[in-house]
Amino acid sequence: MLEVRDLHAFYGKSHILQGVDFRVGKGEIVSLLGRNGVGRSTTIKAIMGDVERRGSIQFKGREIGGLKPHQVAHCGLGYVPENRDIFPGLTVRENLILGMKSNQPGGRWSMEDMFTLFPRLRERADTAGGVLSGGEQQMLTICRTLMGDPDLVMIDEPTEGLAPKIVELVAGLFKEIRNRGVSILLVEQKLAIALDISERLYVMGHGRIVFEGAPRDVRENAAMRKEWLEV
Amino acid sequence: MLELVVFSSLNGVLYGMLLFLLASGLTLIFSMMGVLNFAHASFYMLGAYFGFQISRYIGFWPGLVVAPLLVGVIGALVERYGLRTVHKHGHVAELLFTFGLAFIVEELVQMVWGKIPVDYRIPGALNFSAFTLFDTTFPAYRMFMLLMSIGIFLGLLVLLTRTRVGLIIQAALTHPNIVGTLGHNVPLVFMMVFGVGCGLAALAGVIAGPALVTQPAMAASLGPILFVVVVVGGLGSLSGAFVASLLIGLIQTFAVALNISLADVMAHLGVTLTRESFGGDLWMATVAQVAPIIPYLLLVLVLIFRPHGLMGNRDT
Ligand SMILES: Nc1ncnc2c1ncn2[C@@H]1O[C@H](COP(=O)(O)OP(=O)(O)O)[C@@H](O)[C@H]1O
Ligand SMILES: [Mg+2]
């Protein structure tokens, strides 16, 4: 579904990604792991067209490496940024409306689905996003992207700084997303969650993919974990 | 006294609402670009001149619609092919670009319509007095200007807060990248905001042209007041721009009507001051005489005591 080959990305003069290769299949959950600063967020941003990039990015058989972010989104790629970047001055409902690509409802998700999955969002539907708790903001950020009905959603560090109970909720949402036939590319710090829900995992180091395997391969390879993941 | 209060209030609100037609666009454009658009008042002037020209061929009312549309399109083109390119080279380049644009517009207007004011007339249908109070009449055209600007204000409010496009604009002002990744064409939105902002300024020009004077200096004389409004209101804050527009409109109008000097005030306190006292003419100047500098006084005070303006919360 998503096939990235020899992806390079740049912030001005600094050359951050130096040839990244990976793929995500239809209906798959794939995790992108690595220590802070190795370029996981940059990889996602490069796919969205939010940073300067070179290389091949194929999505549903179409080359999207030259498209602008809004065009990439219209191809069916969803992006959930890190830091829970909701629109703080707009209400929860307005945030969700902005996730939709057109006025017409349709697609896999409705606002009602979101409110059923997270009753807390329904209670706060007319509250400004900026006053929600961290966990609520994280739900809202993911739901906002889902309202655009992506076929593959890239989620950047969704559980960072969340209480264990909320982390469980988020993990539950990932399963719901997969059940509706949406693929997930997940950037996740918490190894336990990534191993639990992913079909395959990639590990990044210094702007490249340094390991690829199933959850079992990661569990069994202590040397790799020590070199590339543990702090 | 009642007469003065009623008429100055009406005129003050009218002047304030006209200022807001310009200040709203300028504020939105500032939020988008991060710099003040020095050419904004030039679009107001273009509106007045286009309105004048159209009124000579087919009348005032078609001009009211066509002139803002034309200027809006020109504004959108300036954004698309001028500012967007200059933006890559930073804020200083953008600022200089808008500065240059203001001079070019003024020169062009002088070349086409001459240096002296043009004879832009109030439409016949509105050339009567709306009401008379204590021998003073309030012209129907002023009533029309007032209702028109209030109507546009309400329309803008509904557009920005109640429609999908309005929500996209609001979000794009603060989080353009995220709005883009959600599938909205942010550059297109910005071009449209710029165009609509210029169109609103032009509309203000069309309706103010016949009531004030349509001349090549009208942009240069309004520009500074406009900056006072957006800075006093708080850069980037629409509600701040609204409050500041009304405030400055009212202050200006009331000040012009007041014939009190500092000497009069001191006389009430039992102090007699004459032209020969230390300070000289300063004591004798009436509020009406110093009216033009009051907005700038306000600007200076606000910058000292509330650097972010009345309602602003952003750094510049
Ligand atoms: N806006 C930016 N400008 C310059 N360098 C950046 C920027 N964002 C990230 N970087 C650098 O790019 C590298 C990768 O960052 P990032 O992709 O955010 O890492 P990760 O998400 O894996 O923690 C880091 O060294 C970081 O310092
Ligand atoms: Mg990151």
Side-chain angles (χ1 to χ4, degrees):
Chain A
M1 170 159 253
L2 176 70
E3 182 111 32
V4 174
R5 265 184 252 120
D6 197 30
L7 181 65
H8 293 252
F10 310 81
Y11 289 111
K13 285 207 175 72
S14 34
H15 188 169
I16 304 291
L17 299 186
Q18 313 192 341
V20 171
D21 298 79
F22 69 93
R23 49 169 218 90
V24 181
K26 195 161 163 48
E28 239 189 340
I29 299 187
V30 172
S31 283
L32 197 55
L33 307 176
R35 294 201 181 98
N36 268 328
V38 292
R40 299 158 303 162
S41 299
T42 306
T43 303
I44 297 188
K45 285 182 192 157
I47 295 169
M48 281 315 287
D50 219 10
V51 296
E52 198 193 325
R53 79 273 211 222
R54 263 207 313 268
S56 159
I57 306 164
Q58 300 237 332
F59 183 59
K60 295 194 272 191
R62 177 180 171 198
E63 177 61 46
I64 59 165
L67 300 185
K68 305 224 158 55
H70 69 95
Q71 296 169 321
V72 173
H74 276 276
C75 292
L77 261 169
Y79 168 51
V80 181
E82 57 190 336
N83 311 323
R84 300 157 202 154
D85 248 326
I86 44 122
F87 307 123
L90 302 184
T91 66
V92 167
R93 195 189 306 278
E94 289 169 338
N95 267 276
L96 291 174
I97 289 174
L98 278 180
M100 297 162 62
K101 297 200 181 79
S102 73
N103 259 329
Q104 274 77 278
R108 299 181 184 86
W109 312 85
S110 68
M111 199 169 299
E112 194 49 39
D113 289 346
M114 300 308 172
F115 288 157
T116 310
L117 280 167
F118 301 111
R120 199 64 194 133
L121 290 184
R122 190 199 302 274
E123 285 164 31
R124 320 211 72 184
D126 297 308
T127 309
V131 303
L132 301 187
S133 72
E136 290 162 354
Q137 290 188 354
Q138 187 59 64
M139 308 298 168
L140 182 56
T141 332
I142 301 175
C143 290
R144 182 181 64 187
T145 301
L146 292 178
M147 290 298 285
D149 196 25
D151 299 314
L152 186 162
V153 57
M154 305 187 286
I155 310 178
D156 200 350
E157 305 231 26
T159 66
E160 202 199 353
L162 294 188
K165 258 201 152 140
I166 315 272
V167 171
E168 253 171 61
L169 261 179
V170 174
L173 175 60
F174 294 156
K175 288 178 184 147
E176 177 66 27
I177 294 175
R178 181 178 40 193
N179 288 344
R180 300 204 184 193
V182 179
S183 318
I184 302 180
L185 176 63
L186 178 66
V187 168
E188 182 54 67
Q189 277 287 351
K190 296 190 177 69
L191 191 58
I193 297 180
L195 290 175
D196 180 40
I197 66 169
S198 311
E199 267 108 54
R200 289 183 305 112
L201 305 96
Y202 291 91
V203 177
M204 280 187 83
H206 308 313
R208 280 198 185 83
I209 301 288
V210 292
F211 179 88
E212 175 194 349
R216 206 187 51 200
D217 305 324
V218 175
R219 284 203 190 90
E220 287 169 357
N221 196 335
M224 185 282 293
R225 291 204 310 270
K226 190 166 161 48
E227 185 175 2
W228 297 111
L229 294 174
E230 280 149 25
V231 267
Chain B
M1 191 60 197
L2 179 66
E3 181 188 345
L4 179 118
V5 171
V6 170
F7 282 92
S8 292
S9 302
L10 276 174
N11 283 324
V13 170
L14 168 56
Y15 183 42
M17 292 303 292
L18 275 180
L19 277 179
F20 184 70
L21 275 189
L22 285 126
S24 53
L26 185 59
T27 298
L28 283 176
I29 292 169
F30 170 82
S31 305
M32 243 157 59
M33 306 197 307
V35 296
L36 279 174
N37 173 15
F38 274 97
H40 201 65
S42 307
F43 292 104
Y44 156 81
M45 175 160 75
L46 276 184
Y49 274 97
F50 282 16
F52 161 72
Q53 200 62 44
I54 294 167
S55 77
R56 298 193 80 182
Y57 295 127
I58 43 176
F60 175 83
W61 301 106
L64 185 66
V65 179
V66 177
L69 285 178
L70 275 180
V71 175
V73 170
I74 294 177
L77 291 176
V78 164
E79 195 281 337
R80 177 66 186 81
Y81 295 102
L83 273 172
R84 202 179 292 181
T85 316
V86 177
H87 183 79
K88 298 187 186 98
H89 307 297
H91 283 347
V92 175
E94 269 178 301
L95 211 62
L96 291 174
F97 177 87
T98 67
F99 222 68
L101 192 63
F103 283 112
I104 292 172
V105 171
E106 186 169 333
E107 283 300 319
L108 282 177
V109 163
Q110 279 191 20
M111 277 157 65
V112 176
W113 286 282
K115 287 192 183 174
I116 53 167
V118 294
D119 182 24
Y120 194 2
R121 297 229 181 114
I122 289 169
L126 287 176
N127 206 353
F128 61 94
S129 66
F131 63 88
T132 308
L133 189 70
F134 314 112
D135 302 333
T136 313
T137 60
F138 195 76
Y141 189 72
R142 292 207 153 234
M143 209 58 182
F144 160 74
M145 289 167 80
L146 187 60
L147 295 178
M148 187 84 191
S149 44
I150 291 174
I152 289 164
F153 165 71
L154 294 177
L156 206 60
L157 199 67
V158 169
L159 177 83
L160 271 178
T161 60
R162 296 271 181 278
T163 69
R164 206 179 128 74
V165 171
L167 294 181
I168 295 176
I169 293 172
Q170 283 190 55
L173 293 180
T174 50
H175 299 75
N177 287 27
I178 293 175
V179 174
T181 59
L182 290 175
H184 308 298
N185 189 345
V186 176
L188 180 70
V189 169
F190 279 4
M191 184 177 93
M192 276 167 29
V193 170
F194 200 94
V196 170
C198 293
L200 283 179
L203 187 68
V206 177
I207 60 182
L212 309 173
V213 192
T214 302
Q215 57 181 352
M218 64 193 286
S221 62
L222 186 70
I225 298 279
L226 209 50
F227 293 135
V228 173
V229 168
V230 295
V231 174
V232 167
L235 283 166
S237 161
L238 261 185
S239 41
F242 180 66
V243 171
S245 296
L246 284 182
L247 187 68
I248 292 194
L250 286 167
I251 287 180
Q252 285 267 72
T253 329
F254 271 95
V256 172
L258 289 179
N259 264 315
I260 308 169
S261 66
L262 274 177
D264 298 337
V265 176
M266 297 307 263
H268 274 287
L269 302 174
V271 183
T272 312
L273 291 163
T274 64
R275 194 158 267 123
E276 281 68 46
S277 317
F278 176 72
D281 281 344
L282 188 58
W283 306 115
M284 296 297 143
T286 63
V287 176
Q289 284 168 316
V290 297
I293 63 161
I294 292 180
Y296 304 101
L297 207 61
L298 190 65
L299 172 73
V300 171
L301 291 176
V302 163
L303 282 177
I304 293 172
F305 295 106
R306 272 190 86 94
H308 294 299
L310 297 178
M311 301 191 164
N313 46 13
R314 101 177 11 231
D315 297 311
T316 41

